[in-house]
């Protein structure tokens, strides 16, 4: 059964609507951990639109499970990550104008930059995960960088318009998980996972962790954060 990583970026998005102190992402992380989350994910974006430098310092001190810092290949961000030393760093592509991370990192195109970032972060004792599309060539190159973990982008699965397209996207995720595991990689998945579509991904053999943000924080507005995390864990566990 996969673990659950809760992405708390949108707690900070809400705080930034007023640029004051509430709601506090560190308090949110504590609630998620108490509710059973296996890790906390936060993305320090170059434009600091939600999570900021102060947040990640406080998160590092507070998180008792695992801290997974999402980040781009930007040199300044890499320097910050090496100072903070999250347990894990997930390298993602980043564009200022995008609303959210739009696609996987193109490891083929940016191979030497990615490989250098992987080595640099690993030297600081950080486990590195590469957020990539579920494509064989990308996975093969990801393994060549020396990264030990990949996170498969589930956006195409989430956005599939027909049952047949969703089935195809799910099969791709399943096949690519098996392929990556065969290369010795650990496999996570995330992006766009919701309460109605997560169970099928959680059932993929070899899937290690699902990283979920927007759906959980959205539900939390109505039922509370602990309940929203509990509900997602039940889905991952296949409980009614
Ligand atoms: N994993 C990665 C690498 C992401 O960039 C994001 C979005 O920040 C997520 C998971 C979570 O996506 P969502 O908010 O759609 O659940």
């Amino acid at each position: 059964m996969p673990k659950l990583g809760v992405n708390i970026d949108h707690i900070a998005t809400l705080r930034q609507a007023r640029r004051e102190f509430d709601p506090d992402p560190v308090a949110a992380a504590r609630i998620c951990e108490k509710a059973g989350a296996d890790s906390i994910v936060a993305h320090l974006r170059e434009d600091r639109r939600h999570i900021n430098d102060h947040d990640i310092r406080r998160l590092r001190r507070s998180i008792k499970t695992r801290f997974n810092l999402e980040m781009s290949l930007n040199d300044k961000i890499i320097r910050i990550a090496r100072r903070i030393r999250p347990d894990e760093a997930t390298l993602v592509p980043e564009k200022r104008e995008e609303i959210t991370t739009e696609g996987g990192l193109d490891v083929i195109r940016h191979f030497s930059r990615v490989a250098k970032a992987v080595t640099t972060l690993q030297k600081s004792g950080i486990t590195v995960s590469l957020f990539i599309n579920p494509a064989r060539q990308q996975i093969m190159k990801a393994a060549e960088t020396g990264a030990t973990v990949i996170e498969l982008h589930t956006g195409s699965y989430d956005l599939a318009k027909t049952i047949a397209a969703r089935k195809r996207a799910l099969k791709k995720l399943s096949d690519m998980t098996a392929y990556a595991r065969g290369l010795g990689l650990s496999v996570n998945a995330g992006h766009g996972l919701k309460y109605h579509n997560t169970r099928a991904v959680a059932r993929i053999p070899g899937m290690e962790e699902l990283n979920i943000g927007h759906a959980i924080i959205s539900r939390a507005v109505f039922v509370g954060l602990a309940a929203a995390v509990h509900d997602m864990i039940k889905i991952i566990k296949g409980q009614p």
Side-chain angles (χ1 to χ4, degrees), residues 35 108 174 187 227:
I108 299 168
S174 180
V187 183

PDB file of all heavy atoms in Angstrom, residues 35 108 174 187 227:
ATOM      1  N   ALA A  35      -2.557  13.139  11.601  1.00  0.00           N
ATOM      2  CA  ALA A  35      -3.661  12.434  10.933  1.00  0.00           C
ATOM      3  C   ALA A  35      -3.163  11.234  10.126  1.00  0.00           C
ATOM      4  O   ALA A  35      -3.955  10.514   9.532  1.00  0.00           O
ATOM      5  CB  ALA A  35      -4.419  13.400  10.033  1.00  0.00           C
ATOM      6  N   ILE A 108      15.712  14.182 -20.638  1.00  0.00           N
ATOM      7  CA  ILE A 108      16.506  13.929 -21.854  1.00  0.00           C
ATOM      8  C   ILE A 108      17.132  15.252 -22.315  1.00  0.00           C
ATOM      9  O   ILE A 108      18.334  15.350 -22.529  1.00  0.00           O
ATOM     10  CB  ILE A 108      15.621  13.322 -22.970  1.00  0.00           C
ATOM     11  CG1 ILE A 108      15.035  11.980 -22.492  1.00  0.00           C
ATOM     12  CG2 ILE A 108      16.413  13.158 -24.273  1.00  0.00           C
ATOM     13  CD1 ILE A 108      13.940  11.421 -23.366  1.00  0.00           C
ATOM     14  N   SER A 174       0.970   2.146 -14.754  1.00  0.00           N
ATOM     15  CA  SER A 174       1.290   0.829 -14.198  1.00  0.00           C
ATOM     16  C   SER A 174       2.510   0.214 -14.896  1.00  0.00           C
ATOM     17  O   SER A 174       3.447  -0.265 -14.244  1.00  0.00           O
ATOM     18  CB  SER A 174       0.040  -0.052 -14.356  1.00  0.00           C
ATOM     19  OG  SER A 174       0.296  -1.302 -13.856  1.00  0.00           O
ATOM     20  N   VAL A 187       9.347   4.367  -6.901  1.00  0.00           N
ATOM     21  CA  VAL A 187       8.371   5.093  -7.720  1.00  0.00           C
ATOM     22  C   VAL A 187       7.260   5.719  -6.874  1.00  0.00           C
ATOM     23  O   VAL A 187       6.571   5.029  -6.125  1.00  0.00           O
ATOM     24  CB  VAL A 187       7.737   4.167  -8.786  1.00  0.00           C
ATOM     25  CG1 VAL A 187       6.767   4.956  -9.674  1.00  0.00           C
ATOM     26  CG2 VAL A 187       8.811   3.504  -9.630  1.00  0.00           C
ATOM     27  N   ALA A 227      -9.567  15.391   9.007  1.00  0.00           N
ATOM     28  CA  ALA A 227     -10.557  14.510   8.366  1.00  0.00           C
ATOM     29  C   ALA A 227     -10.236  14.328   6.882  1.00  0.00           C
ATOM     30  O   ALA A 227     -10.364  13.221   6.342  1.00  0.00           O
ATOM     31  CB  ALA A 227     -11.955  15.097   8.535  1.00  0.00           C
TER      32      ALA A 227
END
